[in-house]
Amino acid sequence: MNAARVISANFTLTPLCLPDRQDLFDHLSDPETVAFMDIEPMADLAAADAMIGWANKLLASGGGLWWAIRDQDAAFVGTAGFAGLVRERGSRGEVSYNVVRSRWRRGVMAEVLPALLDYGFGMLGLRRIEATVTPGNLASAALLERFGFQREATLRDHAFWKGRYWDQWLYARLAP
Ligand SMILES: CC(C)(COP(=O)(O)OP(=O)(O)OC[C@H]1O[C@@H](n2cnc3c(N)ncnc32)[C@H](O)[C@@H]1OP(=O)(O)O)[C@@H](O)C(=O)NCCC(=O)NCCS
């Protein structure tokens, strides 16, 4: 699978790669940004390298793809991607995203999420796009609901990270 560049009016998404390591570290070493995510705040650049390695493997395995998001000045504003792509007996995947905290509430995802959905339903040919949200992450839940996702379930003790099990809200949107 190739990860194509995704372009919206104000943002360009390119496959996450080693030159992104410092920006990725600066972004995901912020405890507030990762509070509802399945990772600890990054402690060093090696953690950024590990995430880039994970993204490369994801792409090579066909299980998903991950991008760095940059604005028109090439400033890094976050990351987003698809994981958990299922191609047999269904066509679905999970979308995820995170925006640099200084850019929250300034319309980044309101522009990027529709571009991701177009890519998922179009280029990837998905029938169903899912998103899992940690209960309490009202920003992410509201974003998904604004763009037509329905909350279908609360998955109890669905995931284990940061030393404990976490429920997850399961959201999904079907192809138009
Ligand atoms: C969730 C997140 C990606 C939203 O991105 P953003 O670029 O700030 O969102 P936008 O400014 O484009 O807002 C789009 C919509 O999202 C919702 N939203 C975003 N932030 C919100 C907040 N703090 N409270 C309530 N709703 C919010 C609203 O529906 C908003 O539409 P509106 O402005 O018409 O009300 C961002 O807060 C983030 O990166 N959080 C940390 C990482 C994270 O939790 N990722 C998701 C893991 S599931």
Side-chain angles (χ1 to χ4, degrees):
M1 184 167 59
N2 289 319
R5 184 177 278 247
V6 176
I7 298 174
S8 66
N10 295 293
F11 302 102
T12 300
L13 282 64
T14 49
L16 192 68
C17 59
L18 264 186
D20 297 314
R21 68 197 294 255
Q22 185 66 53
D23 289 326
L24 190 63
F25 170 73
D26 292 344
H27 169 41
L28 295 178
S29 55
D30 175 16
E32 200 174 326
T33 298
V34 304
F36 291 111
M37 293 170 61
D38 59 353
I39 55 168
E40 300 281 358
M42 286 184 174
D44 49 36
L45 279 170
D49 292 342
M51 182 172 281
I52 293 164
W54 167 84
N56 288 338
K57 276 192 200 149
L58 189 68
L59 186 61
S61 70
L65 56 172
W66 218 266
W67 293 276
I69 308 168
R70 293 186 182 273
D71 68 13
Q72 288 170 326
D73 298 322
F76 180 91
V77 296
T79 81
F82 289 95
L85 294 179
V86 171
R87 300 297 193 175
E88 284 178 29
R89 300 172 68 90
S91 184
R92 64 180 186 270
E94 183 175 345
V95 70
S96 300
Y97 39 76
N98 45 74
V99 171
V100 168
R101 185 150 63 91
S102 61
R103 309 287 288 255
W104 285 2
R105 257 349 294 243
R106 292 170 59 188
V108 175
M109 279 315 300
E111 181 175 318
V112 170
L113 183 58
L116 290 168
L117 297 178
D118 282 351
Y119 189 92
F121 291 131
M123 289 287 284
L124 297 178
L126 300 178
R127 169 68 184 152
R128 172 183 162 91
I129 296 180
E130 299 180 344
T132 54
V133 176
T134 301
N137 191 350
L138 301 181
S140 185
L143 170 72
L144 291 166
E145 287 168 16
R146 178 175 157 189
F147 288 100
F149 282 72
Q150 289 180 27
R151 193 191 299 177
E152 297 182 340
T154 298
L155 306 173
R156 294 173 302 155
D157 283 356
H158 182 66
F160 187 92
W161 67 73
K162 297 176 185 163
R164 54 164 277 208
Y165 281 99
W166 298 79
D167 292 352
Q168 292 286 279
W169 288 331
L170 174 64
Y171 277 89
R173 190 181 137 169
L174 301 185

